[in-house]
């Protein structure tokens, strides 16, 4: 997790067009129905400070920053290698 977050902060894909993603809370009705679960991860204190600073500068929560970083990594850096269909941001299905 620390590698993903550190790489995200180094490359800052949000400054190159990546939209911030907002995670659903498992405590909300939508999050509960969607099967969302809370995920906690420990990262080095220095990285945690950088994440908090980046989130504050962007005006988003740390949860949104981390969720966006994990989404970015899974979607663009290490996408699934099988031929599953993925919806792009415009709702068009394509095979990756």
């Amino acid at each position: 997790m620390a590698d993903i977050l550190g790489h995200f902060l180094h490359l800052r894909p949000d400054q190159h067009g990546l939209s911030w993603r907002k995670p659903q809370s498992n405590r909300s009705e939508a999050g509960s129905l969607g099967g969302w679960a809370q995920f906690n991860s420990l990262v080095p204190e220095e990285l945690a400070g950088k994440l908090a600073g980046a989130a504050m500068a962007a005006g988003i929560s740390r949860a949104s920053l981390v969720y966006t970083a994990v989404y970015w990594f899974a979607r663009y850096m290490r996408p699934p290698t099988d031929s599953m269909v993925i919806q792009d941001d415009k709702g068009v299905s394509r095979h990756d």
Side-chain angles (χ1 to χ4, degrees):
M1 185 57 97
D3 288 341
I4 291 170
L5 297 171
H7 200 56
F8 183 86
L9 290 178
H10 176 72
L11 294 177
R12 294 304 304 259
D14 58 295
Q15 295 176 348
H16 302 283
L18 182 69
S19 299
W20 292 112
R21 305 247 171 220
K22 184 176 179 184
Q24 295 290 323
S25 169
N26 63 341
R27 296 182 195 131
S28 71
E29 184 177 344
S32 177
L33 292 175
W36 286 79
Q38 184 170 330
F39 175 80
N40 296 321
S41 180
L42 294 174
V43 296
E45 191 172 329
E46 181 181 347
L47 178 58
K50 289 178 181 178
L51 291 168
M56 190 181 325
I60 60 168
S61 68
R62 287 177 292 169
S64 290
L65 189 141
V66 171
Y67 179 62
T68 302
V70 171
Y71 170 85
W72 163 80
F73 183 80
R75 172 84 160 121
Y76 299 108
M77 301 305 290
R78 296 289 185 261
T81 56
D82 60 2
S83 62
M84 63 185 290
V85 175
I86 298 177
Q87 291 282 104
D88 69 14
D89 293 336
K90 295 178 182 77
V92 176
S93 295
R94 61 180 169 77
H95 291 277
D96 281 349

